[in-house]
Amino acid sequence: MRTGKLLPWLFVRSLRLCRHVVANSHVAKRVLTDDHDIVSHKITVIHNSVLRFTDETAARNNVLRRYHGANPTTAVLLNVAMFRPEKNQRELIEIVSGLPASLDWQLWLAGEGPERAACERLVAIVRGASL
């Protein structure tokens, strides 16, 4: 279930009839419960995933890693999404900023949208995060 778009009537009907719905944000869950009368206990929120590139997958991404200053053992956390308030990249940046300094990691955020400039300003003050 995606936010930001009008949901077709038949799609909403199918959501009412299915056993369970996975939404990608709490905003999406609110849209389903408030606007479409889908019961809350039928909905689980699973945010867009954050991927960790391991040594095996890093071998295929060496050029990109070098470009961003990541070595083959750097844990790269990747989030690809529109920069909109409900995607909450700001919280992700704040969470990863608390990772121990001894860990070799980078946060890569990809996307466009109205929250990008605010995230870039936050990244500028948070050690270890990179757009």
Side-chain angles (χ1 to χ4, degrees), residues 17-90:
L17 295 173
C18 69
R19 289 188 317 158
H20 204 80
V21 176
V22 175
N24 66 0
S25 71
H26 291 287
V27 170
K29 182 176 181 176
R30 265 195 316 274
V31 167
L32 292 175
T33 58
D34 296 352
D35 298 349
H36 301 294
D37 299 320
I38 297 174
V39 292
S40 180
H41 73 271
K42 269 182 64 165
I43 305 168
T44 299
V45 174
I46 301 177
H47 295 280
N48 294 332
S49 64
V50 176
L51 303 175
R52 179 182 182 274
F53 288 105
T54 63
D55 289 341
E56 294 81 23
T57 57
R60 295 184 306 230
N61 296 290
N62 282 337
V63 172
L64 187 58
R65 285 174 162 270
R66 277 194 300 272
Y67 179 81
H68 290 290
N71 65 50
T73 59
T74 301
V76 175
L77 307 169
L78 174 64
N79 178 264
V80 179
M82 285 189 65
F83 280 83
R84 297 182 355 198
E86 60 269 22
K87 299 297 183 176
N88 208 5
Q89 286 97 338
R90 290 183 59 83

Side-chain angles (χ1 to χ4, degrees), residues 97-115:
S97 72
L99 290 173
S102 60
L103 294 178
D104 181 18
W105 65 273
Q106 288 186 7
L107 173 61
W108 296 358
L109 302 174
E112 293 293 335
E115 293 294 311

